[in-house]
């Protein structure tokens, strides 16, 4: 049997430089102080989507699965869309987020959502049961368009 003497510290070339560790600690402390100051002084949110008048709205029920398929119905049970996994991936993902938010809030998972189109061209989804809201433009134009197709189209 041989006994090996292990040195866990390694060589000085393998260690993270002390100034870098201090800089990272300073960055963490600065971030915590900045966020704490903003919360304690009730600083208004700056990076929020601009408010605009609602031009179209629809109340829908979303149902999605892990494969990406999505089924969208109206309050009376009328089928709005039955999307295959290739078409409904984002809508199915939003449905899963809604399920998670509703589970956290301990509300029934099968409630309706409000899909809203605004005058400035933005599309948002709102869950009345939890207060959760998402501006869908934050997920890209293609994903926002997937929901925009579910809104009533203006007649000319």
């Amino acid at each position: 049997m041989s006994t090996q003497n292990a040195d866990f510290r390694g060589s000085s070339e393998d260690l993270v430089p002390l100034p870098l560790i201090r800089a990272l600690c300073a960055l963490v402390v600065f971030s915590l102080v900045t966020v704490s100051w903003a919360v304690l002084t009730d600083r208004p949110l700056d990076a929020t989507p601009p408010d605009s008048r609602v031009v179209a709205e629809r109340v829908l029920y979303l149902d999605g699965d892990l494969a990406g398929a999505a089924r969208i119905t109206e309050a009376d049970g009328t089928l709005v869309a039955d999307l295959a996994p290739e078409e409904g991936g984002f809508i199915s993902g939003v449905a899963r987020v809604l399920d998670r938010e509703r589970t956290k809030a301990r509300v029934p998972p099968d409630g309706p959502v409000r899909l809203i189109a605004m005058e400035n061209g933005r599309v948002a989804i709102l869950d009345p049961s939890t207060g959760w809201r998402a501006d869908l433009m934050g997920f890209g134009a293609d994903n926002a368009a997937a929901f925009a197709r579910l809104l009533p189209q203006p007649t000319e």
Side-chain angles (χ1 to χ4, degrees), residues 67-116:
R71 185 175 176 90
I72 301 102
T73 57
E74 289 186 326
D76 63 0
T78 305
L79 182 65
V80 174
D82 193 6
L83 304 172
E86 301 82 35
E87 306 168 299
F90 179 66
I91 294 173
S92 178
V94 170
R96 290 191 305 271
V97 169
L98 283 167
D99 287 344
R100 181 174 180 271
E101 291 297 318
R102 290 172 176 169
T103 300
K104 286 183 353 186
R106 297 184 178 167
V107 296
D110 56 353
V113 294
R114 289 178 48 215
L115 188 59
I116 303 166

Side-chain angles (χ1 to χ4, degrees), residues 32-134:
L32 288 172
V33 167
T34 303
V35 169
S36 298
W37 174 78
V39 169
L40 292 173
T41 61
D42 276 337
R43 182 161 172 76
L45 300 175
D46 291 334
T48 57
D51 286 334
S52 185
R53 188 175 65 84
V54 174
V55 294
E57 181 176 345
R58 193 171 194 183
V59 176
L60 299 169
Y61 289 83
L62 302 180
D63 185 29
D65 64 16
L66 290 175
R71 185 175 176 90
I72 301 102
T73 57
E74 289 186 326
D76 63 0
T78 305
L79 182 65
V80 174
D82 193 6
L83 304 172
E86 301 82 35
E87 306 168 299
F90 179 66
I91 294 173
S92 178
V94 170
R96 290 191 305 271
V97 169
L98 283 167
D99 287 344
R100 181 174 180 271
E101 291 297 318
R102 290 172 176 169
T103 300
K104 286 183 353 186
R106 297 184 178 167
V107 296
D110 56 353
V113 294
R114 289 178 48 215
L115 188 59
I116 303 166
M118 289 171 262
E119 191 174 46
N120 62 4
R122 299 183 89 85
V123 178
I125 189 165
L126 171 67
D127 180 16
S129 63
T130 63
W132 180 83
R133 178 186 174 117

